Amino acid sequence: MNILVCLKQVPDTETQIKIAPDGMSIATENIKWIINPYDEYAVEEALRIKEKFGGEVTIIGVGPKRVTESIRTALAMGADKGILVDDPAITGSDSLGIARILSAVIKDLDYDIILCGKQGVDDDYGIVGSILAELLGIPQISVVIKVEVSEDASTVKAHREVEGGTLVIESALPALITAQKGLNEPRYASLPGIMKAKKKPLDAKTIADLGLDASQVGENGAKIKIKQITPPEERKAGKIVEGETPQEMAANLTRLLHEEAKVI
Amino acid sequence: MDFSLSMEHEILRKSVRDFAENEIKPVARELDEKEEFSYDTMKAMADLGLFGMFVSEEYGGQGMDYVSYIIATEEIARVDGSHAATVAAGNSLGIGPLYYYGNEEQKKKYLPKACRGETLWAFGLTEPNAGSDAGNSQTTAVLDGNEWVINGSKIFITNGSSDITAGVIPLTRTGIRKDGKRELTSIIVEAGSPGFEARTMHGKLMWRASNTAELYFEDCRVPKENLLGPVGDGFHQMLGTLDGGRLSIAAMGLGGAQGAFDLSLKYSRERVQFGKPISTFQVNAFKLADMATEIECARLLLYKACWLRDNEQPFAKLAAMAKLYCSEVMSKCVDQSVQLHGGYGLMKEYDVERFYRDQKLLEIGEGTSEVQRIVISRYIGAV
Ligand SMILES: Cc1cc2nc3c(=O)[nH]c(=O)nc-3n(C[C@H](O)[C@H](O)[C@H](O)COP(=O)(O)OP(=O)(O)OC[C@H]3O[C@@H](n4cnc5c(N)ncnc54)[C@H](O)[C@@H]3O)c2cc1C
Ligand SMILES: Cc1cc2nc3c(=O)[nH]c(=O)nc-3n(C[C@H](O)[C@H](O)[C@H](O)COP(=O)(O)OP(=O)(O)OC[C@H]3O[C@@H](n4cnc5c(N)ncnc54)[C@H](O)[C@@H]3O)c2cc1C
């Protein structure tokens, strides 16, 4: 099985995010970058499928040179090769632009299954995987917590959590799946893995290499434009519910929830 | 000058940090409390590849540079001293002498398992009457036909009596050299050798989840081939092993200082007294600023020492300086960390309490701070 994983690099979830002076982006200096956590589930699942069926796992990233570190980390976890699309023209791409770039990379590759994270934890749009499947003309199953590839590797069953139950969807391969938390527990990049990753191939490609033109990506190709980014509201001070006895406190709490918070 | 670490070093740091936070931190307090060496975390560390980092792939190691080893040790120490001790001693004192001084047959026999972390090895210098003066070893080894007969005892030997300890390497006296000095020789003693017994030591202030042993040799017999390197090479081997070992103890000081700092910064930004986070009172902000500065100095010194070693340049002076400085920086940092935590820092529920205790060994093990100052004094030509 040939498995492709689309991987995004995002700011470390523990980083304190500051808004850039332009008010439309975040300040990227002093940020630590990590693999998007949902993409880590995708990498792990790809490795498990490979361990069962054999084949190759290819990691595809789009972004500046620093993304190499995230791709190398995935290679250290056990993936076989990487492709990074790095081009100044990419800056300002929306989800459609990124999906166009990914599909341009993927159309020339031989694949059975594509795994993506369900969303990037930075912009939280959650649509790159879906657009990509549409551009490639293959089925997609999103927000998946369990993946079962059939013994003959021709179909896949994917589990999605829905209110009060689980939806099991079956699709022919090739198909695209987006990973949700709970899919698996990603492995650590082991020390021998880190050494092996040094020798694994990682190709860099430009927009021109992919036969795309600059008007399809970046700000030019974007259908949406960010107007403004604002920090979340400061958390208001909490309230201590008064009362002499537990009964009295409970009564006061109910009253506050009803009259002030208006949630019951 | 280029101060940047390679991409592999960064990936390694992140991976070991995540591992330490997720797999060791949650159990460290309880293991310390119970004074228990964990075979589960030992296996997890081994599976990650934390043993045999600087050993070439041919013997089952990872073939990494020394900086990698030091970063990995630092990251484990950032979360727990005991686990870092198992890694540092396992590599520097157990695997190190076998790798650097063993013959081909010994390396093939012992290293692959040790590098997979299935076995641990220990290096025994210290004796009840030979501590700082380790050359004054009173354990003797006499050749009797095809066997060495060893008599004596060792104390405070890390990884010496765990269930997976495959053997120990005691420094023994094998005679008097031509120049009248003691002839010291290292000999490999496999666990289970007749006349050899290892007993776990209990009641430690620090490193409570690390294995520490007393070793007893009573007419202990091992094959003649168990000699490590040539007869009389023991003193030189000891100095070489300690030079490398000091870097790993320094890494524990650096990592421990960083860990204590990280906990304190977080705590003092959250702890509100007099209506404000205590980190905003200048006296506390300055404590944190001093800690951050000294940690940065410690890191630069230690990494430079490793860089010298990786580039095959003399590094022993800087290793002694780094060991001395990093352990003293951790000493100051844990003191201030407990101070910033107020009464809570004295309670076991808070990890800084353990860091405060674990630090003390670093100023004593592998050459006390006084011994480091003696070594440095000699290098700079003061004495
Ligand atoms: C938990 C733990 C793990 C250890 N692991 C190992 C191990 O794996 N292998 C091993 O061989 N050893 C190990 N050791 C032993 C350790 O290396 C010794 O404890 C250390 O070298 C000090 O020796 P000592 O305890 O006999 O103290 P002493 O040498 O008796 O020192 C007592 C004090 O006198 C000072 N002093 C001694 N000589 C001088 C001098 N000439 N000038 C000035 N001051 C001096 C010392 O600095 C110290 O402050 C371990 C110890 C501990 C506690
Ligand atoms: C074993 C033990 C016994 C005790 N016994 C008693 C007892 O019998 N009765 C009792 O009432 N209490 C008792 N205490 C509590 C003790 O008095 C408090 O722990 C102490 O007053 C510090 O308060 P805190 O722990 O809340 O630390 P915090 O007040 O939170 O202080 C944390 C750190 O912030 C610093 N800090 C706080 N405010 C400022 C400021 N404005 N400017 C600069 N720095 C600041 C502190 O100096 C400290 O370094 C005991 C505590 C212990 C551990």
Side-chain angles (χ1 to χ4, degrees):
Chain A
M1 297 249 317
N2 286 325
I3 310 147
L4 310 181
V5 180
C6 304
L7 178 148
K8 183 179 193 181
Q9 193 181 51
V10 296
D12 190 339
T13 38
E14 279 169 27
T15 304
Q16 284 196 316
I17 299 294
K18 292 204 178 87
I19 293 168
D22 69 3
M24 290 182 288
S25 59
I26 60 162
T28 51
E29 59 268 19
N30 296 325
I31 281 187
K32 267 185 32 205
W33 299 91
I34 59 166
I35 301 179
N36 176 38
Y38 295 108
D39 299 351
E40 247 182 2
Y41 302 127
V43 173
E44 176 62 35
E45 201 60 26
L47 296 174
R48 292 186 188 189
I49 296 172
K50 177 184 121 169
E51 278 157 9
K52 194 159 166 211
F53 292 92
E56 237 179 25
V57 175
T58 305
I59 308 293
I60 307 166
V62 179
K65 196 158 185 287
R66 58 171 156 74
V67 179
T68 314
E69 185 176 318
S70 291
I71 298 179
R72 284 261 177 240
T73 303
L75 297 179
M77 288 167 75
D80 300 282
K81 51 190 186 187
I83 298 169
L84 171 66
V85 185
D86 174 10
D87 196 308
I90 294 166
T91 318
S93 294
D94 61 3
S95 305
L96 175 63
I98 298 295
R100 277 185 182 140
I101 296 166
L102 290 169
S103 80
V105 175
I106 293 171
K107 70 175 180 355
D108 296 330
L109 301 177
D110 187 19
Y111 61 88
D112 300 290
I113 192 161
I114 302 174
L115 293 156
C116 302
K118 71 159 177 141
Q119 71 192 75
V121 297
D122 49 358
D123 301 329
D124 283 332
Y125 289 125
I127 48 173
V128 168
S130 307
I131 303 175
L132 175 59
E134 186 62 27
L135 292 175
L136 293 168
I138 59 171
Q140 68 128 350
I141 312 172
S142 60
V143 200
V144 165
I145 53 156
K146 187 173 174 187
V147 174
E148 296 170 290
V149 176
S150 64
E151 289 301 327
D152 65 354
S154 66
T155 61
V156 62
K157 267 191 207 153
H159 297 226
R160 303 180 89 223
E161 257 174 2
V162 290
E163 184 87 42
T166 307
L167 204 61
V168 182
I169 302 173
E170 187 167 15
S171 160
L173 290 177
L176 184 147
I177 284 174
T178 71
Q180 161 72 315
K181 189 181 162 86
L183 177 60
N184 53 44
E185 195 60 55
R187 68 196 66 189
Y188 301 99
S190 75
L191 277 61
I194 292 170
M195 292 305 278
K196 284 196 198 108
K198 276 169 113 169
K199 295 177 205 127
K200 292 181 179 172
L202 202 168
D203 289 345
K205 292 202 188 295
T206 61
I207 293 301
D209 292 340
L210 299 173
L212 287 169
D213 88 46
S215 68
Q216 294 169 285
V217 300
E219 275 172 35
N220 299 330
K223 300 258 186 207
I224 61 164
K225 188 169 166 53
I226 294 172
K227 291 281 186 195
Q228 199 191 359
I229 295 185
T230 51
E233 249 179 72
E234 286 237 2
R235 204 164 51 161
K236 296 203 190 78
K239 190 166 215 158
I240 293 174
V241 180
E242 316 258 336
E244 294 285 319
T245 62
Q247 285 84 344
E248 211 176 294
M249 285 185 220
N252 283 338
L253 176 63
T254 335
R255 187 181 49 77
L256 287 171
L257 289 173
H258 184 61
E259 289 171 12
E260 280 191 21
K262 298 194 166 62
V263 290
I264 51 172
Chain B
M1 262 198 277
D2 181 2
F3 286 99
S4 56
L5 292 170
S6 74
M7 188 188 297
E8 281 72 30
H9 292 139
E10 301 290 357
I11 295 174
L12 168 80
R13 184 189 296 284
K14 167 120 196 8
S15 191
V16 180
R17 178 170 295 195
D18 288 349
F19 170 84
E21 291 273 348
N22 299 331
E23 313 296 327
I24 295 179
K25 193 176 182 154
V27 295
R29 194 180 303 156
E30 191 185 336
L31 293 170
D32 170 78
E33 181 74 12
K34 290 190 186 157
E35 202 175 26
E36 181 185 316
F37 177 95
S38 162
Y39 294 94
D40 292 340
T41 50
M42 170 67 205
K43 175 152 192 332
M45 294 196 295
D47 290 346
L48 189 67
L50 292 177
F51 292 86
M53 285 178 257
F54 51 75
V55 173
S56 66
E57 286 163 32
E58 142 184 44
Y59 302 109
Q62 273 70 268
M64 294 182 138
D65 56 14
Y66 222 76
V67 176
S68 299
Y69 166 42
I70 289 313
I71 291 173
T73 309
E74 175 191 339
E75 288 302 328
I76 300 290
R78 185 177 157 275
V79 162
D80 184 51
S82 291
H83 284 84
T86 304
V87 170
N91 282 289
S92 288
L93 304 182
I95 290 172
L98 291 170
Y99 181 53
Y100 293 116
Y101 309 116
N103 60 33
E104 198 54 29
E105 205 175 311
Q106 291 164 342
K107 288 198 266 193
K108 288 237 159 76
K109 182 170 177 196
Y110 299 124
L111 285 175
K113 274 191 183 168
C115 293
R116 284 199 299 273
E118 288 168 18
T119 60
L120 282 168
W121 282 83
F123 192 53
L125 300 176
T126 309
E127 297 183 6
N129 292 316
S132 297
D133 187 10
N136 185 33
S137 171
Q138 284 160 23
T139 298
T140 57
V142 180
L143 199 56
D144 177 27
N146 277 331
E147 287 177 332
W148 288 102
V149 183
I150 308 172
N151 277 290
S153 70
K154 299 281 172 183
I155 191 165
F156 298 132
I157 307 306
T158 305
N159 293 335
S161 61
S162 78
D163 294 352
I164 56 169
T165 299
V168 300
I169 305 166
L171 186 73
T172 66
R173 225 156 95 179
T174 43
I176 302 288
R177 295 197 317 206
K178 287 197 194 81
D179 61 5
K181 290 194 176 157
R182 286 179 286 265
E183 179 188 83
L184 297 172
T185 303
S186 305
I187 297 178
I188 298 171
V189 178
E190 291 186 14
S193 297
F196 166 56
E197 196 196 337
R199 281 186 217 149
T200 304
M201 297 175 75
H202 292 290
K204 292 196 302 253
L205 170 79
M206 33 33 69
W207 287 16
R208 289 169 54 83
S210 135
N211 174 266
T212 312
E214 280 177 289
L215 311 179
Y216 296 94
F217 306 92
E218 274 179 57
D219 288 328
C220 167
R221 287 180 171 268
V222 300
K224 192 176 160 193
E225 304 77 64
N226 282 22
L227 189 66
L228 187 73
V231 169
D233 200 35
F235 195 72
H236 157 252
Q237 292 173 2
M238 172 184 91
L239 295 181
T241 301
L242 291 181
D243 284 343
R246 278 172 191 153
L247 297 174
S248 64
I249 297 283
M252 292 187 61
L254 173 61
Q258 183 72 56
F261 169 80
D262 291 347
L263 290 171
S264 304
L265 180 62
K266 182 165 186 292
Y267 182 83
S268 28
R269 284 162 61 139
E270 286 166 3
R271 173 71 170 166
V272 173
Q273 288 290 281
F274 303 100
K276 284 190 206 161
I278 58 166
S279 70
T280 60
F281 299 122
Q282 195 177 56
V283 64
N284 298 328
F286 279 15
K287 277 180 187 155
L288 291 161
D290 286 347
M291 284 159 87
T293 306
E294 290 181 17
I295 289 169
E296 195 61 32
C297 290
R299 184 168 288 119
L300 285 176
L301 178 56
L302 174 57
Y303 287 9
K304 183 173 177 194
C306 296
W307 180 85
L308 288 172
R309 191 182 198 285
D310 281 329
N311 287 280
E312 288 165 23
Q313 295 186 41
F315 70 98
K317 178 176 83 176
L318 258 69
M321 288 176 168
K323 197 268 185 188
L324 173 66
Y325 189 70
C326 291
S327 50
E328 293 194 348
V329 166
M330 183 175 176
S331 168
K332 277 192 247 174
C333 285
V334 293
D335 190 39
Q336 298 293 25
S337 291
V338 170
Q339 191 63 25
L340 286 165
H341 278 73
Y344 303 93
L346 302 171
M347 305 305 291
K348 288 199 187 295
E349 235 174 279
Y350 287 79
D351 283 341
V352 287
E353 183 270 347
R354 190 175 74 252
F355 279 68
Y356 187 81
R357 288 183 284 110
D358 277 339
Q359 179 280 324
K360 194 60 212 173
L361 184 276
L362 304 182
E363 294 175 305
I364 292 175
E366 294 204 34
T368 63
S369 288
E370 291 73 23
V371 167
Q372 303 310 321
R373 287 190 165 88
I374 294 175
V375 171
I376 298 164
S377 307
R378 286 190 190 135
Y379 273 112
I380 61 173
V383 287

